[in-house]
Amino acid sequence: EGMPKAPGSAQSRVAHMASAQIRTRTSVLFGGAGGVVAQAAPAIGIHANDWTRQQTDTGKIYFFNKSTGASQWHIPNDVYKSRFFNPDKILAYTKKDETVPPSVAHAMLGVDCMMEVAKGPGAAGLMVTKFHHLYKPAAEAPPVELPPLEETRVLRVTVVQARGLRDADFMPGSDKSDPYCKCEIMGKPEATFRTPVIRDCLDPVWNHTELVPGYEEGDALLFSVYDEDDVSQNRNASSSYMNDGPSQMFLDGDEQLGRLMISDDEVIRESHAEYQLEDAGKGIEAFLEVELRVVSAFPGAMGMSTSDALLEIKRVRKDCDIVAYEVPHEPGEVVSFDPLHMKQGYTGSFFGVFEEQAVALTPGCSVTVGNQTLVVDHVGESDPKHQVRGSQVVYVHLSTPIKGVIRNKTKWTKALKQPEPGFNEKRIILWYDCITHEVARLPHIG
């Protein structure tokens, strides 16, 4: 039935809550699949405050607040005093009060609502029996065992190295090409990855391994090696090469240094070989070394915590060692918010970075800044006044001194342990995010 309105002085039977406590035996009403069921419950102590206990014409008890005008079936938290809610006390009646708010009592009894109804003598014994029947410790719940992780087959590609690449920079001799390699499934441009850039090198060694997304039996692979250049450099290079013939230019400003297509038959054979690159340039013989394998992976571990993933993978592959590695983050750049460091750079034992790029840095880790490796002591506190282009700047304090000067826009990365080169059929590689400590890349054998 609906909540009664504020009681009238003539019609309501009001038990005003003075300093003396009003005691009554109570029962708990809770809803289930079979409807509303009454169970005996503890005695309720009502104390002096603005709440009054009211009773409807049908005998149901509710509570009315004289100050706020609020009405409710639930016993108010601030007047609630229960007995027997201590599980250690439920087998015998005790005079000791165990006071808990209704929300706790609801959780322990597994009910949705608590309210009072009148109860006769002997209710305490009935309450103890019923409550003992209702109370089931969480430890009795049967353990839930997850099904074992499923293994799937995926293509593992390692771009090992290239040699004999053409020097495509605008002024040969002053610097060299900055090569990287891109791999994609023919006809599936979304199924692609690329290696890091190796600066000023015509014989780059990448040893970069990826699982190719979306690979299916019958797919062919395309490898393309590019020279990474800025746009202005490519404009100069384009005009220079126009007299000698067309040059392969791309929208992103990078120039192709050669390409290689591997057929589906070669992919299935799982090879490790060196191939000659096509379109490497006039009179240029360049080569690319790659390794192809179809391996087992565990997609069900994606998004798991690192500790859970280690346990679950070990359940299904007890014969393998599982090695966890931190996923590398994108390189950051050194920044300055004050004129002194903008002009003179950083010396001593700290340098500035954007705060969002410093979240992965922890005391004792190493960072590579330019051509030197330094050890982090701690990351300084942020200051709202220290900003560049609207982004917060913090100082990375070092336990090893800077050699020379570190200037603005110098690239830096966190130095991380990498898997040993080569394939190991008894090793499972697991990559995790250092901030969330969750599996961030598909775990696989390798």
Side-chain angles (χ1 to χ4, degrees):
E1 60 188 78
M3 179 66 66
K5 297 181 180 179
S9 59
Q11 296 178 340
S12 62
R13 290 174 285 175
V14 178
H16 290 286
M17 302 173 190
S19 58
Q21 296 183 5
I22 303 173
R23 295 284 184 184
T24 180
R25 294 300 174 191
T26 65
S27 70
V28 177
L29 300 183
F30 62 96
V36 176
V37 183
Q39 298 287 358
I44 304 297
I46 304 299
H47 305 281
N49 53 32
D50 290 331
W51 287 98
T52 61
R53 178 192 283 115
Q54 307 292 332
Q55 194 169 13
T56 68
D57 293 337
T58 59
K60 294 182 66 175
I61 293 174
Y62 67 99
F63 296 87
F64 172 71
N65 191 298
K66 295 181 294 183
S67 297
T68 65
S71 299
Q72 64 182 59
W73 296 116
H74 288 285
I75 303 166
N77 271 8
D78 52 352
V79 302
Y80 187 80
K81 195 171 186 181
S82 66
R83 296 181 187 273
F84 309 114
F85 275 102
N86 186 339
D88 297 330
K89 307 289 186 181
I90 63 175
L91 296 180
Y93 181 81
T94 176
K95 293 293 184 182
K96 181 180 179 182
D97 286 333
E98 302 291 343
T99 301
V100 293
S103 57
V104 177
H106 298 166
M108 295 184 68
L109 283 173
V111 300
D112 295 322
C113 178
M114 293 194 66
M115 58 181 294
E116 290 188 312
V117 295
K119 207 66 180 168
L126 177 61
M127 181 277 296
V128 170
T129 302
K130 295 289 186 180
F131 184 50
H132 182 254
H133 175 70
L134 285 171
Y135 179 74
K136 292 184 179 180
E140 294 183 9
V144 178
E145 185 172 342
L146 296 175
L149 293 177
E150 293 185 2
E151 293 186 42
T152 59
R153 304 290 282 173
V154 297
L155 178 63
R156 178 183 185 268
V157 176
T158 300
V159 181
V160 181
Q161 62 183 344
R163 64 182 179 91
L165 298 177
R166 173 168 55 87
D167 187 356
D169 278 0
F170 173 56
M171 296 184 65
S174 60
D175 54 9
K176 299 178 181 178
S177 297
D178 305 318
Y180 67 90
C181 183
K182 178 181 176 182
C183 172
E184 64 180 284
I185 297 176
M186 294 286 289
K188 298 180 180 179
E190 72 284 356
T192 182
F193 74 87
R194 56 172 284 180
T195 70
V197 176
I198 305 294
R199 300 291 175 188
D200 295 326
C201 185
L202 302 182
D203 302 302
V205 177
W206 293 290
N207 276 321
H208 184 82
T209 299
E210 294 265 2
L211 302 181
V212 181
Y215 172 78
E216 297 175 338
E217 187 173 339
D219 287 338
L221 299 178
L222 176 64
F223 294 86
S224 302
V225 180
Y226 295 102
D227 168 43
E228 183 182 72
D229 285 314
D230 59 45
V231 175
S232 60
Q233 190 175 28
N234 273 310
R235 287 198 190 101
N236 293 332
S238 179
S239 61
S240 174
Y241 285 125
M242 285 294 289
N243 296 329
D244 298 327
S247 63
Q248 183 71 39
M249 307 302 295
F250 293 86
L251 292 177
D252 59 4
D254 297 343
E255 184 174 355
Q256 190 179 79
L257 301 178
R259 64 185 181 88
L260 166 69
M261 189 184 76
I262 297 182
S263 67
D264 57 332
D265 292 338
E266 292 177 280
V267 173
I268 295 174
R269 286 202 300 268
E270 299 188 352
S271 61
H272 182 169
E274 184 179 70
Y275 302 86
Q276 185 168 354
L277 291 171
E278 300 177 2
D279 300 329
K282 186 177 180 180
I284 300 294
E285 290 189 356
F287 300 86
L288 180 67
E289 181 181 347
V290 297
E291 181 183 44
L292 307 173
R293 290 182 183 273
V294 179
V295 300
S296 293
F298 306 89
M302 289 292 294
M304 280 187 177
S305 69
T306 306
S307 57
D308 286 348
L310 290 171
L311 291 173
E312 292 302 319
I313 295 175
K314 196 66 177 176
R315 284 176 59 195
V316 296
R317 291 304 300 259
K318 297 181 175 64
D319 59 321
C320 292
D321 294 325
I322 308 171
V323 189
Y325 298 94
E326 182 180 327
V327 173
H329 287 259
E330 290 295 320
E333 66 175 34
V334 175
V335 292
S336 304
F337 60 86
D338 61 291
L340 177 64
H341 290 111
M342 288 180 186
K343 183 177 180 180
Q344 299 182 7
Y346 292 93
T347 59
S349 60
F350 69 90
F351 62 95
V353 301
F354 288 117
E355 186 176 30
E356 64 267 21
Q357 296 175 338
V359 293
L361 300 181
T362 55
C365 74
S366 297
V367 289
T368 301
V369 188
N371 58 0
Q372 58 182 304
T373 299
L374 305 167
V375 179
V376 174
D377 182 80
H378 69 280
V379 177
E381 297 290 334
S382 61
D383 187 326
K385 295 180 293 185
H386 300 169
Q387 293 193 7
V388 173
R389 300 190 297 273
S391 296
Q392 192 69 45
V393 175
V394 294
Y395 285 137
V396 177
H397 295 268
L398 308 167
S399 56
T400 52
I402 294 171
K403 299 176 182 178
V405 180
I406 295 177
R407 300 197 178 276
N408 268 9
K409 299 186 178 181
T410 301
K411 296 294 185 181
W412 69 271
T413 58
K414 184 178 180 181
L416 299 173
K417 182 181 177 182
Q418 297 293 318
E420 294 182 4
F423 180 79
N424 183 346
E425 63 181 8
K426 294 297 182 181
R427 175 181 65 178
I428 296 176
I429 298 175
L430 185 149
W431 293 94
Y432 68 93
D433 185 279
C434 68
I435 299 172
T436 64
H437 292 280
E438 294 178 349
V439 178
R441 294 182 183 174
L442 186 61
H444 64 281
I445 289 178

